[in-house]
Amino acid sequence: MTATAEAATEPAPIRLWRLPGVYPPQADTGLLAQALSREIVAPGTEVLDVGTGTGALAVLAAGMGARVEATDISWRAVLTARLNAARAGHRVAVRRRHLAHPPDGRTYDMVLGNPPYVPGPPPRGAARTRRSARAWDGGARGRDLVDLMCVRAAALLRPHGVLLMVHSGLCGTGRTLDTLRQCGLSGQVTARARIPYGPVLHSRLGWLRAQGLVGAEERAEDLMEELVVIRAQRP
């Protein structure tokens, strides 16, 4: 089982290898890694890392003594995570699986999630074939996978199990907490960070303004995105 540690410790840096097209660890991964490092993970704690990417969080959890299963829809991510776990000397079961198809009947002490959360218009034409965009496209409000993560976590967690999830404030933090509550989990924001807009958000700035997600008076060069880590627990 897990509990919040009294004092936070910075996670040790992990040297990662990455196949082209696999989502690289960025500020959101780092923020979630810090949140994970504040948890007390007993030996044998069973952890599921959803959308593992390079396996950064899975490897970190395994290094803390957890028994880790990691999933991703991308075969390249699966291969990348397997190799990074092997290079780190940790046993991590990495499988190709979509969040919509969780393991039948399996439950875990902890679920980690960095789901795609960037709001954007429906893809058209060649954009539909860009597999790398699956790592960040979260639908019109950025919530397609965030909401699914909340629902799935309620079924995946054992009693007193913990969900750690990171997403953008553009998705609506309050809505996430409400959704978790409706699913029977108690949640709270445990970490926040503000970072400059990256290339994806800048490329969608006109659309974001049209949707009212970004104020028309805000200058592009001044825009900052808020990232939040939400810790939710099953009773």
Side-chain angles (χ1 to χ4, degrees), residues 1-9 32-42 45 47 64 109-110 112 160-164 188 190 229-233:
M1 304 303 294
T2 63
T4 303
E6 290 291 331
T9 58
L32 195 55
Q34 291 175 17
L36 174 58
S37 73
R38 290 192 289 268
E39 299 289 326
I40 298 173
V41 178
T45 296
V47 174
M64 296 172 69
D109 299 305
M110 178 180 289
L112 306 173
H160 311 298
V162 170
L163 166 70
L164 293 177
Q188 60 181 325
T190 58
V229 171
I230 294 175
R231 185 184 192 272
Q233 190 162 15

Short mmCIF file of all heavy atoms in Angstrom, two decimals, residues 1-9 32-42 45 47 64 109-110 112 160-164 188 190 229-233:
data_model
loop_
_atom_site.label_atom_id
_atom_site.label_comp_id
_atom_site.label_asym_id
_atom_site.label_seq_id
_atom_site.Cartn_x
_atom_site.Cartn_y
_atom_site.Cartn_z
N MET A 1 0.85 -1.19 0.00
CA MET A 1 0.00 0.00 0.00
C MET A 1 0.88 1.24 0.00
O MET A 1 2.07 1.19 0.22
CB MET A 1 -0.94 0.02 1.21
CG MET A 1 -1.82 -1.22 1.32
SD MET A 1 -2.82 -1.48 -0.16
CE MET A 1 -3.90 -0.06 -0.06
N THR A 2 0.26 2.39 -0.21
CA THR A 2 1.02 3.63 -0.32
C THR A 2 0.47 4.70 0.60
O THR A 2 -0.69 4.69 0.97
CB THR A 2 0.97 4.16 -1.76
OG1 THR A 2 -0.39 4.45 -2.08
CG2 THR A 2 1.50 3.15 -2.75
N ALA A 3 1.32 5.62 0.97
CA ALA A 3 0.93 6.79 1.75
C ALA A 3 1.86 7.91 1.37
O ALA A 3 2.93 7.68 0.80
CB ALA A 3 1.01 6.50 3.25
N THR A 4 1.46 9.14 1.69
CA THR A 4 2.31 10.26 1.35
C THR A 4 3.47 10.33 2.32
O THR A 4 3.28 10.27 3.53
CB THR A 4 1.51 11.58 1.41
OG1 THR A 4 0.40 11.44 0.52
CG2 THR A 4 2.36 12.75 0.99
N ALA A 5 4.67 10.48 1.81
CA ALA A 5 5.85 10.54 2.67
C ALA A 5 5.90 11.87 3.40
O ALA A 5 5.40 12.89 2.93
CB ALA A 5 7.11 10.37 1.82
N GLU A 6 6.55 11.89 4.56
CA GLU A 6 6.68 13.11 5.34
C GLU A 6 7.52 14.14 4.61
O GLU A 6 7.22 15.31 4.60
CB GLU A 6 7.32 12.78 6.70
CG GLU A 6 6.42 12.00 7.63
CD GLU A 6 5.26 12.82 8.12
OE1 GLU A 6 5.41 14.05 8.21
OE2 GLU A 6 4.21 12.25 8.40
N ALA A 7 8.62 13.70 4.01
CA ALA A 7 9.51 14.65 3.33
C ALA A 7 9.70 14.21 1.90
O ALA A 7 9.88 13.03 1.61
CB ALA A 7 10.87 14.69 4.04
N ALA A 8 9.64 15.17 0.99
CA ALA A 8 9.80 14.85 -0.42
C ALA A 8 11.27 14.65 -0.76
O ALA A 8 12.15 15.29 -0.20
CB ALA A 8 9.23 15.99 -1.27
N THR A 9 11.53 13.74 -1.64
CA THR A 9 12.89 13.53 -2.15
C THR A 9 12.85 13.61 -3.66
O THR A 9 11.91 13.14 -4.29
CB THR A 9 13.43 12.16 -1.72
OG1 THR A 9 12.56 11.15 -2.19
CG2 THR A 9 13.56 12.07 -0.21
N LEU A 32 5.07 14.60 -12.36
CA LEU A 32 4.47 13.36 -11.86
C LEU A 32 5.51 12.49 -11.17
O LEU A 32 5.21 11.82 -10.17
CB LEU A 32 3.81 12.61 -13.02
CG LEU A 32 2.85 11.48 -12.67
CD1 LEU A 32 1.74 11.95 -11.74
CD2 LEU A 32 2.25 10.89 -13.94
N ALA A 33 6.74 12.50 -11.67
CA ALA A 33 7.81 11.74 -11.02
C ALA A 33 8.07 12.28 -9.61
O ALA A 33 8.30 11.50 -8.67
CB ALA A 33 9.08 11.81 -11.86
N GLN A 34 8.04 13.58 -9.45
CA GLN A 34 8.23 14.16 -8.12
C GLN A 34 7.10 13.74 -7.19
O GLN A 34 7.32 13.44 -6.01
CB GLN A 34 8.30 15.67 -8.23
CG GLN A 34 9.56 16.18 -8.91
CD GLN A 34 9.55 17.68 -9.11
OE1 GLN A 34 8.76 18.39 -8.49
NE2 GLN A 34 10.39 18.17 -10.00
N ALA A 35 5.87 13.72 -7.71
CA ALA A 35 4.73 13.29 -6.89
C ALA A 35 4.89 11.83 -6.48
O ALA A 35 4.61 11.45 -5.34
CB ALA A 35 3.43 13.49 -7.66
N LEU A 36 5.32 11.00 -7.42
CA LEU A 36 5.55 9.58 -7.10
C LEU A 36 6.62 9.43 -6.04
O LEU A 36 6.49 8.59 -5.13
CB LEU A 36 5.94 8.83 -8.38
CG LEU A 36 6.35 7.36 -8.21
CD1 LEU A 36 5.25 6.54 -7.56
CD2 LEU A 36 6.72 6.77 -9.56
N SER A 37 7.66 10.23 -6.11
CA SER A 37 8.75 10.11 -5.14
C SER A 37 8.32 10.50 -3.73
O SER A 37 8.99 10.14 -2.77
CB SER A 37 9.93 10.99 -5.58
OG SER A 37 9.66 12.36 -5.39
N ARG A 38 7.19 11.20 -3.61
CA ARG A 38 6.69 11.57 -2.29
C ARG A 38 5.80 10.48 -1.68
O ARG A 38 5.34 10.62 -0.53
CB ARG A 38 5.91 12.88 -2.37
CG ARG A 38 6.79 14.09 -2.64
CD ARG A 38 6.03 15.38 -2.42
NE ARG A 38 5.04 15.62 -3.45
CZ ARG A 38 5.25 16.31 -4.57
NH1 ARG A 38 6.45 16.82 -4.81
NH2 ARG A 38 4.28 16.49 -5.44
N GLU A 39 5.55 9.43 -2.44
CA GLU A 39 4.74 8.32 -1.93
C GLU A 39 5.63 7.29 -1.24
O GLU A 39 6.76 7.05 -1.67
CB GLU A 39 3.98 7.63 -3.07
CG GLU A 39 3.00 8.52 -3.81
CD GLU A 39 1.77 8.87 -2.99
OE1 GLU A 39 1.33 8.01 -2.18
OE2 GLU A 39 1.25 9.99 -3.16
N ILE A 40 5.12 6.69 -0.18
CA ILE A 40 5.80 5.58 0.47
C ILE A 40 5.34 4.31 -0.22
O ILE A 40 4.16 3.94 -0.14
CB ILE A 40 5.50 5.53 1.98
CG1 ILE A 40 6.01 6.81 2.67
CG2 ILE A 40 6.14 4.29 2.60
CD1 ILE A 40 5.61 6.91 4.12
N VAL A 41 6.24 3.67 -0.93
CA VAL A 41 5.91 2.47 -1.69
C VAL A 41 6.53 1.27 -0.99
O VAL A 41 7.76 1.12 -0.96
CB VAL A 41 6.42 2.59 -3.15
CG1 VAL A 41 6.12 1.31 -3.92
CG2 VAL A 41 5.79 3.80 -3.84
N ALA A 42 5.69 0.44 -0.42
CA ALA A 42 6.19 -0.75 0.27
C ALA A 42 6.64 -1.79 -0.75
O ALA A 42 6.14 -1.82 -1.87
CB ALA A 42 5.10 -1.33 1.17
N THR A 45 4.39 -3.45 -3.66
CA THR A 45 3.26 -2.63 -4.07
C THR A 45 3.04 -2.79 -5.57
O THR A 45 3.98 -2.71 -6.36
CB THR A 45 3.54 -1.15 -3.76
OG1 THR A 45 3.65 -0.97 -2.34
CG2 THR A 45 2.43 -0.25 -4.28
N VAL A 47 1.80 -1.59 -9.08
CA VAL A 47 1.59 -0.30 -9.75
C VAL A 47 1.29 -0.53 -11.22
O VAL A 47 1.93 -1.36 -11.88
CB VAL A 47 2.85 0.59 -9.60
CG1 VAL A 47 2.71 1.88 -10.42
CG2 VAL A 47 3.10 0.92 -8.13
N MET A 64 11.71 1.96 -6.75
CA MET A 64 11.25 2.20 -5.38
C MET A 64 10.79 0.91 -4.71
O MET A 64 10.39 0.93 -3.55
CB MET A 64 10.11 3.23 -5.39
CG MET A 64 10.53 4.61 -5.89
SD MET A 64 9.11 5.74 -6.12
CE MET A 64 8.60 6.02 -4.40
N ASP A 109 -2.48 -1.29 -6.39
CA ASP A 109 -2.35 -0.38 -5.25
C ASP A 109 -2.17 1.05 -5.71
O ASP A 109 -2.51 1.99 -4.99
CB ASP A 109 -1.14 -0.77 -4.40
CG ASP A 109 -1.26 -2.18 -3.83
OD1 ASP A 109 -2.28 -2.45 -3.17
OD2 ASP A 109 -0.34 -2.99 -4.06
N MET A 110 -1.63 1.24 -6.91
CA MET A 110 -1.40 2.58 -7.44
C MET A 110 -1.53 2.57 -8.95
O MET A 110 -1.10 1.62 -9.61
CB MET A 110 -0.01 3.11 -7.04
CG MET A 110 0.30 4.49 -7.60
SD MET A 110 1.95 5.09 -7.13
CE MET A 110 1.68 5.41 -5.39
N LEU A 112 -0.70 5.18 -12.23
CA LEU A 112 -0.05 6.41 -12.68
C LEU A 112 -0.59 6.76 -14.05
O LEU A 112 -0.74 5.88 -14.91
CB LEU A 112 1.47 6.21 -12.77
CG LEU A 112 2.17 5.69 -11.51
CD1 LEU A 112 3.63 5.39 -11.82
CD2 LEU A 112 2.05 6.70 -10.37
N HIS A 160 -8.22 1.77 -0.72
CA HIS A 160 -7.14 2.67 -0.29
C HIS A 160 -6.06 2.86 -1.37
O HIS A 160 -5.02 3.46 -1.09
CB HIS A 160 -6.49 2.19 1.02
CG HIS A 160 -7.46 1.84 2.09
ND1 HIS A 160 -8.32 2.77 2.64
CD2 HIS A 160 -7.75 0.65 2.70
CE1 HIS A 160 -9.07 2.19 3.56
NE2 HIS A 160 -8.76 0.90 3.60
N GLY A 161 -6.32 2.37 -2.57
CA GLY A 161 -5.37 2.57 -3.66
C GLY A 161 -5.33 4.02 -4.11
O GLY A 161 -6.28 4.79 -3.90
N VAL A 162 -4.23 4.40 -4.75
CA VAL A 162 -3.96 5.79 -5.10
C VAL A 162 -3.80 5.96 -6.61
O VAL A 162 -3.12 5.18 -7.26
CB VAL A 162 -2.68 6.28 -4.38
CG1 VAL A 162 -2.24 7.66 -4.91
CG2 VAL A 162 -2.91 6.35 -2.88
N LEU A 163 -4.44 7.01 -7.13
CA LEU A 163 -4.23 7.46 -8.50
C LEU A 163 -3.40 8.72 -8.47
O LEU A 163 -3.71 9.67 -7.74
CB LEU A 163 -5.57 7.75 -9.17
CG LEU A 163 -5.50 8.55 -10.50
CD1 LEU A 163 -4.89 7.70 -11.61
CD2 LEU A 163 -6.89 9.05 -10.90
N LEU A 164 -2.34 8.75 -9.27
CA LEU A 164 -1.57 9.97 -9.50
C LEU A 164 -1.67 10.30 -10.98
O LEU A 164 -1.25 9.51 -11.82
CB LEU A 164 -0.10 9.79 -9.11
CG LEU A 164 0.23 9.59 -7.64
CD1 LEU A 164 1.73 9.35 -7.45
CD2 LEU A 164 -0.21 10.80 -6.82
N GLN A 188 -7.46 15.50 -4.75
CA GLN A 188 -6.99 16.85 -4.48
C GLN A 188 -5.77 17.14 -5.34
O GLN A 188 -5.06 16.22 -5.77
CB GLN A 188 -6.63 17.02 -3.00
CG GLN A 188 -5.53 16.08 -2.53
CD GLN A 188 -5.22 16.29 -1.05
OE1 GLN A 188 -5.27 17.39 -0.54
NE2 GLN A 188 -4.89 15.20 -0.37
N THR A 190 -2.12 18.15 -5.67
CA THR A 190 -0.97 18.08 -4.76
C THR A 190 0.26 18.78 -5.32
O THR A 190 1.24 18.94 -4.60
CB THR A 190 -0.61 16.62 -4.45
OG1 THR A 190 -0.33 15.92 -5.66
CG2 THR A 190 -1.76 15.93 -3.72
N VAL A 229 -0.90 18.08 -10.76
CA VAL A 229 -0.91 16.67 -10.38
C VAL A 229 -2.07 16.47 -9.42
O VAL A 229 -2.20 17.19 -8.43
CB VAL A 229 0.40 16.23 -9.71
CG1 VAL A 229 0.27 14.82 -9.13
CG2 VAL A 229 1.55 16.28 -10.70
N ILE A 230 -2.90 15.51 -9.73
CA ILE A 230 -4.05 15.19 -8.89
C ILE A 230 -3.82 13.83 -8.24
O ILE A 230 -3.49 12.85 -8.92
CB ILE A 230 -5.35 15.18 -9.70
CG1 ILE A 230 -5.64 16.61 -10.18
CG2 ILE A 230 -6.52 14.63 -8.88
CD1 ILE A 230 -6.82 16.74 -11.10
N ARG A 231 -3.95 13.81 -6.93
CA ARG A 231 -3.84 12.56 -6.16
C ARG A 231 -5.23 12.18 -5.69
O ARG A 231 -5.90 12.95 -4.98
CB ARG A 231 -2.92 12.73 -4.97
CG ARG A 231 -2.66 11.44 -4.19
CD ARG A 231 -1.80 11.72 -2.96
NE ARG A 231 -1.31 10.50 -2.34
CZ ARG A 231 -1.94 9.79 -1.41
NH1 ARG A 231 -3.15 10.19 -1.00
NH2 ARG A 231 -1.40 8.71 -0.91
N ALA A 232 -5.71 11.04 -6.13
CA ALA A 232 -7.02 10.56 -5.74
C ALA A 232 -6.88 9.20 -5.05
O ALA A 232 -5.97 8.43 -5.36
CB ALA A 232 -7.94 10.45 -6.94
N GLN A 233 -7.80 8.93 -4.13
CA GLN A 233 -7.70 7.67 -3.37
C GLN A 233 -9.07 7.04 -3.26
O GLN A 233 -10.09 7.72 -3.10
CB GLN A 233 -7.13 7.92 -1.98
CG GLN A 233 -6.78 6.65 -1.21
CD GLN A 233 -5.84 6.93 -0.05
OE1 GLN A 233 -5.66 8.06 0.36
NE2 GLN A 233 -5.23 5.89 0.47
#
